[in-house]
């Protein structure tokens, strides 16, 4: 009886929703299922130094949807964040990335892996314990793990976030501010957080060679990084012109289609390592 009432309630709920909301509802239950069904895939995109040597890779999740094909994270990460599924999804990504770090060939090469973290994950009370658990289970070296956070992670629950970041940083994990320059955070936050790296958003990189305003912003970000002694990654480097613009500005790391697109981690790592001296093609 209670079951029937529940079913009626669901029917009512569904018919009251618009078509768009229904589509979201469907996608959300499919995503819930996708994690256990093995439909998620870990892609890696290379980060290279000035000599095009591979030094790190960013982990980027993909969803091989059984009917819609491969879905980019822009479609399902926001949904995962709103529904709370991001916690399970984020654990899955972190566990996979740590599994790769623990591989003997990867460890020997000294490759670092960067993982995107959502504010919802940080907000979990047991967040630090979950990370410790994954590190212990996989045997990954925390000093080769990076966590990418956006400026948004700092805006809410600043004190709590700083406490958790500090605990993880004490394990050797490095923190990177993703899409730097697009958020609204005060530069004063940067000094209070245990961060090691800034990633300049691709929006600035792409027009910098021809647009004096973007060029000035890139220079300003590089100056901030120099003063705070932070490593810098330029993301979205697509052309030789952009790379040359950046190279003229000194020591930084490059990530973008010019050096390599995100590719399925499985198999790709072997290819990178087999190429020797960690030099990706390009
Ligand atoms: P992001 O962390 O800023 O990642 C960089 C995005 O730029 C990636 O898109 C990458 O494929 C793309 N990209 C790389 N090089 C170039 C380039 O040269 N030109 C252009 N135009 N784009 C480039 P992707 O893989 O679609 O990821 C989009 C966003 O989804 C990521 O932005 C990140 O915020 C989020 N995301 C991806 N994987 C995860 C994850 O495991 N967890 C969480 N929480 N978020 C994730
Ligand atoms: Mg990122
Ligand atoms: Mg980014
Ligand atoms: Mg982005």
């Amino acid at each position: 009886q209670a079951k029937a009432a529940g079913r009626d309630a669901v029917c009512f709920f569904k018919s009251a929703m618009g078509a768009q909301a229904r589509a979201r509802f469907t996608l959300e239950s499919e995503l819930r299922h996708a994690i256990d069904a093995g439909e998620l895939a870990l892609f890696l995109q290379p980060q290279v130094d000035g000599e095009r040597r591979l030094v790190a890779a960013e982990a980027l999740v993909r969803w091989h949807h059984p009917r819609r094909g491969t879905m980019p994270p822009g479609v399902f990460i926001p949904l995962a964040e709103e529904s709370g599924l991001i916690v399970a999804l984020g654990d899955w990504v972190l566990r996979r990335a740590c599994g790769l770090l623990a591989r003997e060939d990867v460890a020997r090469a000294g490759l670092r892996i960067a993982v995107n973290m959502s504010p919802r994950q940080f907000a979990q009370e047991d967040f630090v314990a979950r990370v410790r658990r994954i590190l212990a289970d996989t045997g990954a070296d925390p000093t080769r793990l990076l966590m990418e956070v956006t400026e948004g992670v700092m805006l809410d629950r600043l004190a709590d976030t700083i406490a958790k970041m500090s605990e993880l940083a004490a394990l050797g994990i490095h923190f990177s501010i993703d899409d730097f320059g697009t958020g609204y955070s005060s530069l004063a936050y940067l000094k209070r957080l245990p961060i090691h790296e800034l990633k300049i958003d691709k929006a600035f990189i792409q027009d910098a060679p021809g647009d004096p305003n973007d060029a000035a912003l890139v220079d300003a970000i590089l100056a901030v990084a120099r003063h705070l002694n932070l490593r810098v990654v330029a993301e979205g480097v697509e052309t030789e012109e952009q790379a040359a613009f950046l190279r003229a500005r000194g020591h930084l790391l490059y990530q973008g289609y010019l050096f390599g697109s995100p590719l399925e981690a499985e198999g790709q790592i072997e290819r990178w390592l087999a190429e020797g001296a960690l030099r990706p093609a390009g």
Side-chain angles (χ1 to χ4, degrees):
Q1 202 180 350
K3 227 176 171 178
R7 210 156 36 227
D8 285 348
V10 168
C11 283
F12 170 75
F13 181 53
K14 279 193 161 176
S15 61
M17 285 193 289
Q20 213 184 341
R22 245 181 349 255
R24 278 180 61 93
F25 186 80
T26 304
L27 201 60
E28 188 186 312
S29 27
E30 286 173 347
L31 182 58
R32 200 175 296 277
H33 168 77
I35 301 172
D36 295 328
E39 291 169 12
L40 297 182
L42 195 77
F43 276 47
L44 290 178
Q45 184 176 31
Q47 292 178 359
V48 303
D49 67 11
E51 275 80 53
R52 294 192 175 221
R53 279 186 302 245
L54 179 71
V55 294
E58 178 175 6
L60 295 158
V61 69
R62 300 288 182 266
W63 178 9
H64 295 307
H65 191 284
R67 289 184 321 284
R68 297 159 187 259
T70 301
M71 306 227 300
V75 176
F76 62 90
I77 290 288
L79 190 67
E81 277 171 347
E82 284 156 37
S83 62
L85 280 172
I86 192 70
V87 175
L89 190 151
D91 273 2
W92 182 88
V93 171
L94 190 61
R95 192 170 281 278
R96 278 293 318 272
C98 286
L100 293 174
L101 279 178
R103 276 174 42 163
E104 211 218 297
D105 52 350
V106 175
R108 197 170 346 103
L111 192 72
R112 296 194 297 257
I113 296 183
V115 176
N116 293 284
M117 307 300 290
S118 115
R120 282 290 287 265
Q121 290 176 271
F122 267 84
Q124 294 288 301
E125 213 186 309
D126 62 348
F127 177 60
V128 174
R130 300 172 88 99
V131 174
R132 282 180 186 276
R133 180 69 196 265
I134 290 171
L135 287 168
D137 287 351
T138 56
D141 174 0
T143 68
R144 286 187 297 109
L145 176 65
L146 276 101
M147 291 185 173
E148 294 191 5
V149 297
T150 54
E151 293 167 79
V153 92
M154 301 179 269
L155 294 181
D156 46 280
R157 310 156 55 91
L158 182 63
D160 181 55
T161 301
I162 293 178
K164 286 170 177 162
M165 283 174 81
S166 303
E167 254 190 273
L168 294 171
L171 299 177
I173 294 173
H174 278 197
F175 286 93
S176 179
I177 307 285
D178 203 354
D179 305 338
F180 188 73
T182 60
Y184 301 95
S185 65
S186 140
L187 289 180
Y189 282 162
L190 288 182
K191 272 185 80 165
R192 296 183 54 191
L193 295 166
I195 57 169
H196 308 82
E197 181 182 281
L198 300 180
K199 292 189 81 174
I200 309 179
D201 191 70
K202 51 181 167 285
F204 304 120
I205 301 298
Q206 303 205 320
D207 295 332
D211 181 333
N213 290 325
D214 281 339
L217 277 167
V218 169
D219 283 332
I221 292 171
L222 291 173
V224 167
R226 212 171 301 122
H227 284 298
L228 297 176
N229 203 15
L230 302 173
R231 188 168 56 220
V232 178
V233 179
E235 68 175 20
V237 185
E238 295 180 352
T239 67
E240 288 293 353
E241 203 190 359
Q242 290 158 356
F245 171 91
L246 294 164
R247 216 168 284 126
R249 280 160 174 75
H251 183 72
L252 66 173
L253 300 180
Y254 307 80
Q255 178 179 350
Y257 298 158
L258 181 64
F259 304 99
S261 303
L263 291 165
E264 184 98 45
E266 217 56 64
Q268 187 55 37
I269 284 200
E270 289 81 348
R271 244 164 286 144
W272 280 340
L273 298 180
E275 274 159 22
L278 290 178
R279 277 176 207 280

